[in-house]
């Protein structure tokens, strides 16, 4: 596996454990996804370019730094990626938000596209794709393909729980894309659910099951 960064920060690991618990209710699940996204976002944005500026403080001039150029764009994969948007926007309130609608056909397990709207200046931004689950990797790979087709050259994928199969798929289809996650689980089951995982992220976030 290449280009994979697994966050082992104790706060992230603790919250991932609560998220996995089948007794965690929808309200708690939603809050945890948002909090983990914010904590991960702090590291994912570590390489944002800075420029020097002079700021007048009450007692003098400080030579200091601010983020330079256009801010990031974030692209949640609908539905479950929506749960990670708030946390990222708390860190990056000026980030533009694109949306890609994909669902996995339960029989073929292939991603089916139903929506795609990206910021007009997406090609001038670094785009971070958000989805809590990287299972077969089909959905994330398709989303990254759409974003690349819009001329975006810098893309990162941020998920919460990844299966080895999903990471391999992204490595193969998009070797230029870094994958950030909080856990790499054992395997997929016969329905391509991550084991032990956390179940269906979309259903748990929105209370649809
Ligand atoms: C889930 C999840 C990912 C996808 C991962 O979405 O949020 O988008 O499955 O599976 P993959 O790596 O095998 O493609 P789902 O298709 O259940 O749609 P939903 O978010 O609307 O519930
Ligand atoms: N999608 C989910 O929500 N969970 C999984 O384990 C796999 C795909």
């Amino acid at each position: 596996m290449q280009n994979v960064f697994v966050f082992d920060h104790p706060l992230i690991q603790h919250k991932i454990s609560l998220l996995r618990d089948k007794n965690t209710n929808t309200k708690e699940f939603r809050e945890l996804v948002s909090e983990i996204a914010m904590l991960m976002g702090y590291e994912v944005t570590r390489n944002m370019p800075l420029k020097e500026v002079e700021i007048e403080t009450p007692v003098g001039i400080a030579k200091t730094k601010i983020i330079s150029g256009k801010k990031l764009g974030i692209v949640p994969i609908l539905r479950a990626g929506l749960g990670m948007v708030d946390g990222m926007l708390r860190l990056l309130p000026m980030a533009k938000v694109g949306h890609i609608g994909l669902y996995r056909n339960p029989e073929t397990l292939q991603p089916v596209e139903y929506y795609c709207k990206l910021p007009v200046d997406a090609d001038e931004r670094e785009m971070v794709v958000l989805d809590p689950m990287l299972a077969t990797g089909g959905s994330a790979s398709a989303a990254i393909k759409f974003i690349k087709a819009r001329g975006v050259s810098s893309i990162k994928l941020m998920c919460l729980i990844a299966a080895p199969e999903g990471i391999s798929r992204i490595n193969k289809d998009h070797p230029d894309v870094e994958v950030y996650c909080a856990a790499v689980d054992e395997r997929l089951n016969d329905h391509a659910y991550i084991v032990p995982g956390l179940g269906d992220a979309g259903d748990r976030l929105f209370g649809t099951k």
Side-chain angles (χ1 to χ4, degrees), residues 89-106:
L89 288 181
R90 263 187 274 162
L91 285 181
L92 300 155
M94 299 302 286
K96 296 277 173 71
V97 185
H99 294 86
I100 293 183
L102 292 168
Y103 70 89
R104 234 173 38 160
N105 178 311

Side-chain angles (χ1 to χ4, degrees), residues 77-82 101-106 109-112 114 130-141 163 165-166 169-170 188 191-194 199-206 208:
I77 301 180
L78 308 181
R79 291 177 296 171
L82 287 174
L102 292 168
Y103 70 89
R104 234 173 38 160
N105 178 311
L109 300 177
Q110 293 306 307
V112 181
Y114 59 90
L130 306 176
D131 195 326
M133 309 306 277
L134 180 66
T136 64
S139 305
S141 180
E165 293 88 337
R169 173 78 186 266
I170 300 300
L188 299 178
H191 303 286
Y193 270 77
I194 300 175
D200 189 303
D203 283 338
R204 295 196 66 185
L205 260 175
F206 296 109
T208 41

